[in-house]
Structures are given as structure tokens and as C-alpha cells.
Amino acid sequence: MTYRFGDFTLSLNTRRLLRGNQEVHLSPKAFDLLHLLVEGADRALAKNELHEKLWPETHVEDTNLASLVAEIRRGLGDSADSPVFVRTMHRFGYWFIGTVEAIEEPEDVEPSPRVRYWLVWETRQIPLSVGDNVIGRAPDASVWLDAPGVSRHHARIRLKGAAAFVEDLGSKNGTYIGGEKVVGRSPLADGDQIRLGSIVVTFRIPPPVSTTDTVRES
């Protein structure tokens, strides 16, 4: 599903927010909140409802929700005082007041079930999911790497069909493949070494497991 409002396009299939052809970066939780607000644009959504959907069975402070709303407003160029998109409903919640157009879009072709993607860091083997995998030190990162020099949302690996790409997310220390700095979006191949701050991870596509040979006794 794709939603259009103002100059923006929100794609759920690719988890991207675009302003024209320019991508607007949102943290994973902020993207999820924007999705909830846009999808429920016919009404105001209570804070309790948003908490339950964003952090199920977890107690978080209202300030966490307010921080995500502020992040969304920055991305949309919106204002709390004169909102065009997100209105604060005092003592209740939030309401997406922009005009929304919903458009069905074809699902991405997923990789073959035999294909698995991994990041290898020291002794850890971290599986990657189809779609976006945000790497960083933030607790909401898809791939959590708590290491010196790694930004909160450092980079993103996108798996689409049988292709894999890595993008830097404006990190302080940059993202490198084989010594080359990643600018824009760079394709990934099996065995590529990705440097993020002080650490190096290896992108792996393990080969499919073949059938077991029968061992005959001599």
C-alpha cells in the first residue's frame, strides 16, 4: 500500500517516505507511527492506542511518543503551532489532518525460500529480513550494534527481490565497503566487508544446502 499526501509518498512495501524523488529519513518507530496516523486519518488516535500498537506489553513514557511526533514533524516540515499534517489533540492524542490518497501497489517479489541473508560480526551471525534493515546503536534498530563509532541509525541494508543494497544514513563516521565510502546506494555481494565506525561486518549469502551423499562401506 502507498499513501500520498501533500508532496509526500509513504510506501509500506519499501518502508520509505519520499518528498518528490527525495527520501526523507525516519527512524523505524517514527515510520510506524506515521503509518498508524496516516492509516487512521479519519479520526484522532488516542495516546493509549498508539502506545499499545508501537510498544505492545511495554511501559514507556509519553515523552517517547512526543519525541516520535516531533521527528515526524521535522521530516514533513510541519509545525505543532500551525499544523498541516499532524495535529495535537490536547490531553488525548494526535490526528493526521492532511488529505490522504491510498493506492494499492504490487508486492515486491521476495527471494527464494532457499536464500538467506546474514551479517557476521565477530562470533555473531545476524539474520536479515526482506525489506529494510537499519543498523545502529539505537534500541529500535533492526540490527543492534553497540560499538564505538557506530551511530544510532548508522546505515540501512535493503533486501529487494534477489538484490541487496547498503545506504549510509548520515552517520558521523561513514559506511565503507572494501575501503570505499558508500555514497548513495551501493550493491552488496556475498563476502563484502562493511565498515561501520570501528567495526567490520561481513555480508553473507550462504549457499543452499545440498543433499547428503550416501556413504558406502568398503
Side-chain angles (χ1 to χ4, degrees), residues 117-191:
Y117 299 84
W118 304 85
L119 283 183
V120 178
W121 177 38
E122 297 178 343
T123 59
R124 290 177 60 189
Q125 186 168 292
I126 307 164
L128 301 174
S129 303
V130 173
D132 287 352
N133 299 264
V134 175
I135 306 170
R137 287 189 299 104
D140 61 352
S142 309
V143 179
W144 184 62
L145 299 178
D146 188 17
V150 177
S151 298
R152 287 176 55 79
H153 298 105
H154 194 110
R156 169 171 53 207
I157 291 179
R158 174 170 295 157
L159 305 179
K160 184 176 181 181
F165 304 91
V166 64
E167 303 172 75
D168 186 77
L169 296 178
S171 65
K172 181 177 181 180
N173 294 310
T175 302
Y176 296 80
I177 300 178
E180 295 291 328
K181 188 172 185 178
V182 172
V183 178
R185 186 175 70 170
S186 297
L188 286 172
D190 181 40

Side-chain angles (χ1 to χ4, degrees), residues 3 12 51 56 66 103 135 176 179:
Y3 295 99
L12 304 187
H51 274 277
I103 302 170
I135 306 170
Y176 296 80

